Amino acid sequence: MCVTAVESRPAGVLGASQGPVHRPFGARVKAFVALTKPRIIELLLITTVPVMFLAQQGVPDLKLVLLTCVGGYLSAGGANALNMYIDRDIDALMDRTSQRPLVTGMVGPRECLAFGITLAVVSTLLFGLTVNWLSAWLSLGALLFYVVVYTMLLKRRTSQNIVWGGIAGCMPVLIGWSAVTDSLSWAPLILFLVIFFWTPPHYWPLSMKVKDDYARVGVPMLPVIASNKVVARQIVLYSWVMVAVSLLLTPLGYTGWFYTAVALASGGWWLWEAHALQNRARAEETGVKLKEMRLFHWSITYVSLLFVAIAVDPFLR
């Protein structure tokens, strides 16, 4: 494990250096929305709603889908806001996070903390009172895991941060299933493992591209402390396990031919890209020639295709 101290700067340091921050109402609203990291939450919802179709083996109650999506957005948004509150010191030093609301001063630290806690409470109550309490506790557990275990305990201490911290991102599949059935079974657990093994090879290529940012603030992402060859080898290993796990749904009777075809085709293309990245890393390609972002972008397409197939498959059996 690696423990690294980083310089602590107050949020808004960049904006403060240029004088008082002008904070019009519209910009403030956009800033609070930005605290929730909407683009990340879109991906979480992509893994939630299709599982509800699988659990229902058809079209689930649309009101239930809406409530689950709203609850999931508020819960993940609260977790992301609290993450920004905790990481505001290093966000001010990293290029890719230098325009976040706390860094620019558009939102104050206390406002962000109150906002995150409020979303956490509201989302838990919304799940519990309108969906079911199993989903509520799973949602709250994901939020606490992301904030406490990943952000506070793992992120700045170990290169395995994204591996175990990624568990929080696996929870939406459990929440989607439990929202429909008020229970859990092997299907959501298998999909949980798919996302678990998907997360490192999804995030490590991005980390390879911005590793100088992470190195500057002492966050030991794997590409910071290991060579591209080592990172690429890990990406290939996780990718093979991910694809293998994704194929377990069919022999267990949860999915049919359509999902299997999509899982094989998209998984096969993923493995092609993963091995291509490994070959470029072995050849010691660097910079734009490494093309690490090809796999990052494909990883988003892959998980979208896989979960769309999960939603469609019940109608073709």
Side-chain angles (χ1 to χ4, degrees), residues 207-221:
S207 300
M208 293 169 79
K209 183 174 180 62
V210 299
K211 65 180 180 181
D212 290 343
D213 249 3
Y214 284 118
R216 186 182 309 125
V217 297
V219 174
M221 290 293 180

Side-chain angles (χ1 to χ4, degrees), residues 121 123-140 178-179 182:
V121 172
S123 64
T124 302
L125 292 176
L126 178 65
F127 265 121
L129 297 176
T130 65
V131 181
N132 57 59
W133 284 104
L134 175 58
S135 298
W137 299 134
L138 289 170
S139 174
L140 180 60
S178 67
D182 198 10

Side-chain angles (χ1 to χ4, degrees), residues 174-229:
L174 302 185
I175 295 168
W177 186 277
S178 67
V180 174
T181 67
D182 198 10
S183 64
L184 294 174
S185 72
W186 283 110
L189 293 176
I190 289 170
L191 292 171
F192 177 100
L193 290 175
V194 170
I195 300 300
F196 178 80
F197 289 110
W198 169 86
T199 302
H202 158 69
Y203 198 80
W204 280 334
L206 175 62
S207 300
M208 293 169 79
K209 183 174 180 62
V210 299
K211 65 180 180 181
D212 290 343
D213 249 3
Y214 284 118
R216 186 182 309 125
V217 297
V219 174
M221 290 293 180
L222 185 61
V224 173
I225 67 169
S227 68
N228 287 342
K229 293 179 183 179

Side-chain angles (χ1 to χ4, degrees), residues 208 227-233 274-286 289-290:
M208 293 169 79
S227 68
N228 287 342
K229 293 179 183 179
V230 172
V231 178
R233 184 167 63 245
H275 279 279
L277 176 59
Q278 184 181 39
N279 290 336
R280 292 191 293 272
R282 285 175 173 171
E284 299 186 352
E285 300 283 6
T286 58
K289 292 184 178 180
L290 185 59

Side-chain angles (χ1 to χ4, degrees), residues 27-263:
R28 291 264 288 165
V29 171
K30 290 181 180 179
F32 277 99
V33 173
L35 288 176
T36 66
K37 300 183 184 178
R39 293 187 66 181
I40 293 178
I41 293 177
E42 289 176 11
L43 195 59
L44 296 179
L45 296 180
I46 285 174
T47 63
T48 302
V49 176
V51 176
M52 299 180 74
F53 280 76
L54 181 64
Q56 187 67 45
Q57 284 296 298
V59 180
D61 180 83
L62 296 183
K63 180 181 177 181
L64 180 64
V65 173
L66 177 62
L67 290 169
T68 302
C69 288
V70 172
Y73 184 94
L74 295 177
S75 180
N80 289 329
L82 293 172
N83 168 268
M84 287 196 197
Y85 172 79
I86 295 166
D87 278 351
R88 65 192 187 278
D89 58 337
I90 61 176
D91 282 349
L93 304 175
M94 296 175 63
D95 292 338
R96 63 183 290 265
T97 57
S98 62
Q99 294 304 307
R100 285 181 172 175
L102 268 75
V103 179
T104 62
M106 192 59 66
V107 176
R110 290 184 180 179
E111 292 175 315
C112 180
L113 179 61
F115 181 66
I117 292 174
T118 299
L119 291 186
V121 172
V122 171
S123 64
T124 302
L125 292 176
L126 178 65
F127 265 121
L129 297 176
T130 65
V131 181
N132 57 59
W133 284 104
L134 175 58
S135 298
W137 299 134
L138 289 170
S139 174
L140 180 60
L143 183 150
L144 292 175
F145 195 94
Y146 183 70
V147 173
V148 177
V149 178
Y150 171 66
T151 306
M152 297 179 68
L153 299 179
L154 296 178
K155 184 173 182 178
R156 307 192 195 195
R157 290 179 170 86
T158 172
S159 62
Q160 295 299 299
N161 46 22
I162 201 65
V163 176
W164 300 107
I167 288 175
C170 304
M171 298 298 282
V173 298
L174 302 185
I175 295 168
W177 186 277
S178 67
V180 174
T181 67
D182 198 10
S183 64
L184 294 174
S185 72
W186 283 110
L189 293 176
I190 289 170
L191 292 171
F192 177 100
L193 290 175
V194 170
I195 300 300
F196 178 80
F197 289 110
W198 169 86
T199 302
H202 158 69
Y203 198 80
W204 280 334
L206 175 62
S207 300
M208 293 169 79
K209 183 174 180 62
V210 299
K211 65 180 180 181
D212 290 343
D213 249 3
Y214 284 118
R216 186 182 309 125
V217 297
V219 174
M221 290 293 180
L222 185 61
V224 173
I225 67 169
S227 68
N228 287 342
K229 293 179 183 179
V230 172
V231 178
R233 184 167 63 245
Q234 290 293 307
I235 286 173
V236 168
L237 175 63
Y238 275 87
S239 297
W240 273 100
V241 177
M242 175 198 71
V243 173
V245 172
S246 73
L247 297 173
L248 292 177
L249 286 175
T250 301
L252 291 178
Y254 290 106
T255 53
W257 68 268
F258 181 75
Y259 168 82
T260 304
V262 173

